[in-house]
Amino acid sequence: MTVEDLESELSAVNLAEAPDGWATAAYRLAVARTEAAGRPEDIDQALALLGKAARIFTIERAPLEHGRILIAVANCHRARGRTRDALEHFVSAAEILALRAPAREYAGALINVGLALCEAGKPSDGVDTLNRAIEQILTTQDDPGTGQRDDPEHEEMQRLLGAALINRAQARQTLGRDDELESAVSDYEAAVAALPPTSLQAGMAAHGLGATMLELCRRGSGFCDVHDAVEAFEQSLGVLSHTSFPFHHAVARHSLALAYELRGMPGDPARAVNSAYAAISAFDPRLHATHWHTAHATLTRLEAELGDGSQGSGLNHVARLLADTTDAERDQILRDRLLRAASMPRVGMAADLGSLIDSLVGLGLEKYRHVLRSLIGVLMELPEQLLEAACGALCRAHQAHVSTEALDRVLDEVITDRLFGPQRVKVRDLLEAKGWERP
């Protein structure tokens, strides 16, 4: 239900005639306003509603409902940045719910307290409270009456367990000691195992795992290897897709760039450049200015380290990686570059595609043929305006090269081999419209 629907629901209840119904409706509206709050006044209105509801559902008369209201009040204070007030209300709610609420709800209250303690600068206390939450969840799961796997109750407890483990891992990261980071790795691994593999939480847990491993590797710890960090970031990106979770995807791509940089295997500098490039393409500089500037600084540094001082040298390294890597990685790198180009205005798109294709024609005919097969295939998955711009870039790159005829023959052979009838006609028509003459 929308906030407007809940407002109508509240207006339909007479406070004098049905105080409990009014308090329930007020509570639901307040929670919705808090979750959708874009202005401080939304939070203030939610707090006012909750205050009235708490005077109806008092701790003596309706302790369970009162505890739930306190949690909603705490979330309001958290949304306004009032950390101390949020912590106070979360603690009070957990004490009330301890003996009255279902085990799942009490565990959730403890998780809130643990998170609030961490936000209040008390990560050690947060870890202790989250230990209690995890113990509560595991004890409940051991109860034969809680259901088996695929049971909704079991699935909800697994989700809570994953949330508690992620929060405890983050608290341990805040503590910062090597032993705490090693424990955080174990927590993140357990969270990934507990959560549904395609959930946002699982993707975030895998990213946290990679970030913790990367920090340990930077410290020279032998607890994990940078290969493990790369695998964790790649696992997170299997969930945090460019389309479904663009911000989280961009954060993970930036982290992966740093992991490639530290790993330093053949091709990794070019992989790092491409991953940082993909991060910038996903961040919205208007909404994520700090993250965008950080990723841009990383890309600038990586390109400077990769280049030899000549224009386009960094992209030439990426072209060589495209020629020498696996089909799956080649497709992914090309998709990253093309999605970035697709987000640009027409002139920027043409320039970006031109730089990419110029670097590819410098590979030599056989390697160019190899990469061009993937390029044509990926282009067919993407918007038509990108295909049209790429066809123009191909024509310009071929015409400017000393081996124009040989490159045109390679392009025609790839089109014949890679595409089926209608696709071949479409691409050749676009190329001919840009001035290409079929050899």
Side-chain angles (χ1 to χ4, degrees):
M1 296 181 72
T2 66
V3 170
E4 290 74 19
D5 292 334
L6 293 169
E7 286 175 341
S8 299
E9 183 181 273
L10 178 62
S11 299
V13 181
N14 186 296
L15 174 59
E17 295 177 357
D20 287 5
W22 187 94
T24 300
Y27 166 77
R28 294 178 63 196
L29 174 58
V31 170
R33 278 184 173 164
T34 304
E35 292 174 349
R39 304 170 302 171
E41 50 264 41
D42 294 326
I43 300 296
D44 292 339
Q45 291 172 3
L47 282 170
L49 287 170
L50 292 168
K52 293 177 182 177
R55 288 193 289 274
I56 296 170
F57 289 140
T58 64
I59 190 171
E60 296 79 14
R61 178 172 173 269
L64 190 58
E65 288 76 8
H66 191 83
R68 290 167 180 163
I69 290 170
L70 290 180
I71 289 176
V73 170
N75 283 322
C76 287
H77 288 306
R78 172 182 281 164
R80 289 298 299 271
R82 296 191 284 256
T83 305
R84 183 177 299 178
D85 290 336
L87 175 58
E88 178 183 335
H89 284 83
F90 278 134
V91 169
S92 297
E95 290 173 351
I96 293 169
L97 297 177
L99 299 176
R100 301 173 177 87
R104 180 183 67 195
E105 194 169 354
Y106 175 52
L110 287 175
I111 292 171
N112 278 323
V113 174
L115 180 57
L117 284 165
C118 295
E119 291 172 346
K122 301 176 180 180
S124 293
D125 293 339
V127 169
D128 291 341
T129 301
L130 289 163
N131 288 341
R132 291 168 53 203
I134 292 168
E135 182 180 356
Q136 173 76 22
I137 294 167
L138 294 177
T139 300
T140 303
Q141 286 184 323
D142 289 338
D143 184 342
T146 58
Q148 302 301 315
R149 189 170 298 276
D150 298 330
D151 180 82
E153 180 70 16
H154 176 84
E155 291 178 1
E156 177 61 18
M157 293 302 285
Q158 286 294 99
R159 186 195 66 78
L160 277 176
L161 177 60
L165 288 164
I166 290 171
N167 287 327
R168 188 171 70 178
Q170 291 172 341
R172 285 171 163 163
Q173 284 177 280
T174 301
L175 291 169
R177 299 192 309 272
D178 283 7
D179 62 323
E180 293 290 354
L181 293 180
E182 291 170 6
S183 295
V185 167
S186 298
D187 278 348
Y188 279 127
E189 289 175 335
V192 169
L195 293 164
T198 59
S199 66
L200 172 60
Q201 278 186 308
M204 296 298 293
H207 180 266
L209 174 61
T212 310
M213 288 176 164
L214 189 59
E215 177 59 25
L216 283 167
C217 291
R218 285 172 172 156
R219 297 183 182 191
S221 168
F223 183 78
C224 54
D225 188 270
V226 69
H227 293 280
D228 300 325
V230 169
E231 288 180 6
F233 290 133
E234 289 175 342
Q235 181 180 357
S236 76
L237 286 165
V239 178
L240 308 175
S241 70
H242 181 275
T243 52
S244 300
F245 307 105
F247 173 75
H248 296 100
H249 175 87
V251 171
R253 291 308 298 262
H254 181 252
S255 298
L256 182 58
L258 299 177
Y260 282 141
E261 180 187 22
L262 185 62
R263 189 172 69 171
M265 290 177 59
D268 276 351
R271 290 185 181 94
V273 165
N274 185 71
S275 200
Y277 191 90
I280 290 176
S281 71
F283 281 130
D284 185 335
R286 299 164 298 178
L287 301 176
H288 318 125
T290 301
H291 289 86
W292 188 91
H293 285 295
T294 299
H296 189 274
T298 297
L299 177 60
T300 302
R301 175 174 54 77
L302 291 171
E303 286 184 323
E305 293 171 355
L306 186 62
D308 56 14
S310 61
Q311 186 175 6
S313 57
L315 193 51
N316 291 338
H317 281 274
V318 174
R320 289 194 288 274
L321 174 62
L322 286 168
D324 297 332
T325 190
T326 63
D327 290 344
E329 185 176 33
R330 182 183 305 109
D331 286 353
Q332 183 58 58
I333 292 173
L334 287 169
R335 194 172 290 108
D336 290 338
R337 307 295 301 197
L338 295 172
L339 285 171
R340 166 65 173 167
S343 69
M344 296 178 176
R346 185 174 295 273
V347 173
M349 180 193 299
D352 197 68
L353 290 170
S355 297
L356 172 63
I357 293 171
D358 285 345
S359 71
L360 298 180
V361 298
L363 290 170
L365 288 180
E366 286 311 308
K367 288 189 175 182
Y368 179 54
R369 183 194 308 274
H370 197 50
V371 178
L372 189 59
R373 280 182 54 82
S374 294
L375 178 65
I376 293 295
V378 173
L379 280 168
M380 300 310 296
E381 305 171 5
L382 298 174
E384 185 168 337
Q385 65 267 27
L386 192 67
L387 175 62
E388 181 180 353
C391 286
L394 284 165
C395 290
R396 289 189 295 273
H398 287 198
Q399 290 165 5
H401 200 274
V402 294
S403 302
T404 301
E405 291 184 8
L407 291 171
D408 284 347
R409 282 196 299 273
V410 167
L411 176 57
D412 189 57
E413 290 166 2
V414 167
I415 291 171
T416 300
D417 181 53
R418 187 75 172 83
L419 305 179
F420 63 88
Q423 288 182 326
R424 292 177 196 164
V425 173
K426 179 178 182 179
V427 172
R428 285 184 176 131
D429 285 349
L430 288 171
L431 287 166
E432 290 170 1
K434 301 295 182 181
W436 183 65
E437 295 183 5
R438 185 180 178 188

